Amino acid sequence: MHRYKAHPEDEHLCAVAEAFIKKHPCLREPGSFNGCYGWKQRLKSKMGNYRTPLKVQGCPELSFNSVKYKASADCFPARKVKKPKRAEANFYPSFPTGETVESLEKERLELLTEITIRNNKMLCTLAYRRQEVVNQEPSIKDFKDRWPALFQQKEINAEFQRITAVPLEEKFMAQLDMHSSQLIRVICTNGGATRQKTADIINTLDQNSRADAVRELEQLTMAVFVIRKEGEGLQEPPDDIGIVIEGVALLHGLTSVASACALLLGLIYALNLAYSKTLHFTFKVLQKIIMQLDQHKMSPKVQNLYGRLESLQ
């Protein structure tokens, strides 16, 4: 179990306990409301006991929140606790056997020049990249300079799948197709401020020139941008579709806004970013309803939307 998640939640422990008594019915607990509550509690205790020696031995996924690994300004147990928050399967992986920071840094440098072996090296350096993102929280510009190979459509899809074990664009588009008609009906039933907020989720920038658009984008924290030539309508193909984070344009020339939204979500996971405050619930919907990650933990607003979508099926 630890191989999949160092800190499993109750529903994960319950699923394992249910599978256990299903395989061995004689171990079903009489008097338990589900026949395996005691086994779930034992598993929880065993996992805690198993983590203790691993933490002492320096297992990165368990020790990186220890006080001795924190900066002096944050040297308190409850300060800057880093943990999976969006159903990441590989939030803080350990280095591959035999690899060190120095050897993986060498791999990173080779990535800058050797395109043909990029896929294998990106997989090999996942732990190094994740630990850098989680521990150092680098700026987007600095991280892009260090890992330029990551900022491509194919690699963002691959990185998201490495982290969550879920395909990004494939799942996103399939679920969007499934829910799109219901979403449109829900949006149309709302009016006033809600409809206006929905219309403003993705800003379409109609600028006189690309230079004007670039200056505007540099002020944005996190956005999908669509640039059109002067005088072109919404029916015309845009001049450019891309993603900007912290004023840095990370992707250009994307095929559609839907693809850009999926890749923006992938970048948030890959860079371990917090959801934008203005679009917090939008990203929660994309995560929990569209991508079905941590679907069992929905906020009331997301749960309400999910219920309305289900009722319109």
Side-chain angles (χ1 to χ4, degrees), residues 236-252:
E236 299 294 328
D239 192 35
D240 193 11
I241 299 175
I243 296 172
V244 60
I245 299 178
E246 292 183 5
V248 180
L250 299 179
L251 292 174
H252 287 283

Side-chain angles (χ1 to χ4, degrees), residues 131-185:
Q131 293 190 20
E132 180 179 329
V133 163
V134 174
N135 290 337
Q136 301 176 22
E137 300 177 357
S139 69
I140 301 300
K141 185 179 183 304
D142 291 342
F143 194 74
K144 185 180 180 183
D145 290 341
R146 283 179 55 78
W147 299 94
L150 177 63
F151 296 91
Q152 300 177 30
Q153 186 170 352
K154 181 180 178 181
E155 284 301 332
I156 293 170
N157 277 281
E159 188 81 349
F160 184 85
Q161 187 157 4
R162 294 181 197 116
I163 295 170
T164 64
V166 174
L168 177 57
E169 284 191 272
E170 179 183 341
K171 179 72 173 283
F172 189 95
M173 295 303 181
Q175 289 294 110
L176 193 61
D177 286 343
M178 182 185 300
H179 293 296
S180 58
S181 59
Q182 290 87 357
L183 275 170
I184 292 171
R185 290 170 64 185

Side-chain angles (χ1 to χ4, degrees), residues 42-94:
R42 292 185 187 94
L43 282 171
K44 190 173 184 178
S45 175
K46 290 287 186 183
M47 285 294 292
N49 293 338
Y50 182 67
R51 286 193 296 264
T52 300
L54 289 179
K55 185 175 180 179
V56 172
Q57 293 171 17
C59 177
E61 194 170 8
L62 299 172
S63 61
F64 73 108
N65 277 321
S66 297
V67 172
K68 67 178 181 179
Y69 290 102
K70 293 185 178 182
S72 56
D74 302 315
C75 201
F76 300 95
R79 288 287 297 275
K80 287 195 173 182
V81 175
K82 299 165 183 174
K83 59 182 180 180
K85 297 178 182 177
R86 296 187 288 256
E88 296 95 331
N90 280 309
F91 178 71
Y92 198 88
S94 302

